[in-house]
Amino acid sequence: MFLHHSPFWLKAFFPGFIWRMPTREKKIYLTFDDGPIPDITEFVIDTLNQFKAKATFFCIGNNVEKHPNVFQQLIDNQHSIGNHTFNHMNGWKTEDAVYLDNIKKCEAQLNLQTNLFRPPYGRIRKSQSRVVRKERQIIMWDVLSGDFSKEITQKICLKKSIQYARPGSIVLFHDSVKAAPNMQYALPRFLEHFSSEGYTFEAMAMK
């Protein structure tokens, strides 16, 4: 069970997190979690290039270590990079010291300057977030495509993503094996739909 659109009460409970970018311009901020993965991340890069779109990739350090060439393609194509921990850790189930060390391990693996962080599963304790926010922005989302779910069809994934996106939306897809069937269907159609309405697709600043 998940919500395709982040409700106001959830945003109010975590007021220091970034849920949506403050703009009325026709801009959407596409984000991708859990890569880089060969073929799948490369599909995303190629699809974004077709629409002259930029995005932000929240990378797992272990995947960067295993697939450095794919990670380099993200940098070469001028997409933004965010920290997604080294081992895709669930903050609710992890001791603070272990969780924070895993973030630092991912940071070392990325080997670049970025203050963008997204907690895996969106789950992070307040005690953890207080430390993380001293040096990083915690980036959440206001549109969850649900591409990872076996409970929804490709068409529903696309429909709900389009339905809730608006100027400034942070939209979450996944460049992962599990999400690939839904994502590979929905992403090009999502880009085509909003491009036809005059939207551009922006990467977040890594500062």
Side-chain angles (χ1 to χ4, degrees):
M1 178 66 180
F2 63 90
L3 300 172
H4 285 279
H5 178 61
S6 300
F8 74 92
W9 55 263
L10 183 61
K11 299 175 184 178
F13 192 70
F14 297 102
F17 297 3
I18 307 299
W19 295 89
R20 178 170 168 260
M21 301 302 282
T23 181
R24 295 183 179 178
E25 297 181 49
K26 287 186 172 183
K27 295 181 179 181
I28 288 176
Y29 295 81
L30 290 172
T31 63
F32 296 86
D33 285 8
D34 299 352
I37 301 293
D39 297 330
I40 298 171
T41 303
E42 290 162 318
F43 168 87
V44 174
I45 294 171
D46 291 343
T47 304
L48 293 174
N49 284 342
Q50 292 174 30
F51 292 89
K52 298 181 180 179
K54 299 300 180 186
T56 303
F57 289 78
F58 290 91
C59 296
I60 296 173
N62 189 40
N63 284 339
V64 173
E65 183 178 53
K66 290 187 292 188
H67 311 297
N69 293 337
V70 182
F71 179 65
Q72 188 60 46
Q73 289 182 50
L74 294 174
I75 297 170
D76 292 344
N77 282 274
Q78 299 179 319
H79 297 295
S80 291
I81 304 297
N83 186 318
H84 202 44
T85 75
F86 193 87
N87 297 107
H88 203 258
M89 283 194 163
N90 184 333
W92 293 359
K93 298 180 180 180
T94 310
E95 293 182 7
D96 289 5
V98 175
Y99 188 77
L100 297 169
D101 283 346
N102 207 257
I103 294 172
K104 291 180 180 178
K105 186 176 180 180
C106 180
E107 180 180 6
Q109 184 65 52
L110 296 177
N111 194 31
L112 50 76
Q113 286 192 331
T114 178
N115 72 340
L116 305 176
F117 174 76
R118 174 173 285 161
Y121 314 101
R123 295 175 180 176
I124 184 171
R125 297 178 184 175
K126 286 196 171 184
S127 55
Q128 296 162 350
S129 70
R130 281 195 293 269
V131 178
V132 172
R133 287 181 57 211
K134 291 178 181 179
E135 298 180 349
R136 300 173 176 87
Q137 289 185 314
I138 297 178
I139 309 297
M140 301 298 275
W141 58 84
D142 76 327
V143 180
L144 181 61
S145 69
D147 53 2
F148 57 87
S149 176
K150 295 181 179 180
E151 305 301 319
I152 66 171
T153 65
Q154 295 174 336
K155 290 184 177 180
I156 291 296
C157 177
L158 174 63
K159 178 183 177 180
K160 294 297 184 180
S161 299
I162 290 175
Q163 177 181 343
Y164 291 113
R166 54 184 174 148
S169 280
I170 299 173
V171 182
L172 171 52
F173 286 97
H174 293 79
D175 53 333
S176 66
V177 173
K178 180 169 67 173
N182 283 343
M183 181 275 290
Q184 291 175 335
Y185 175 88
L187 179 62
R189 292 165 175 82
F190 182 95
L191 287 161
E192 184 176 17
H193 173 84
F194 282 102
S195 292
S196 70
E197 293 196 350
Y199 278 78
T200 59
F201 306 92
E202 309 286 337
M204 296 180 180
M206 299 190 300
K207 60 180 182 179

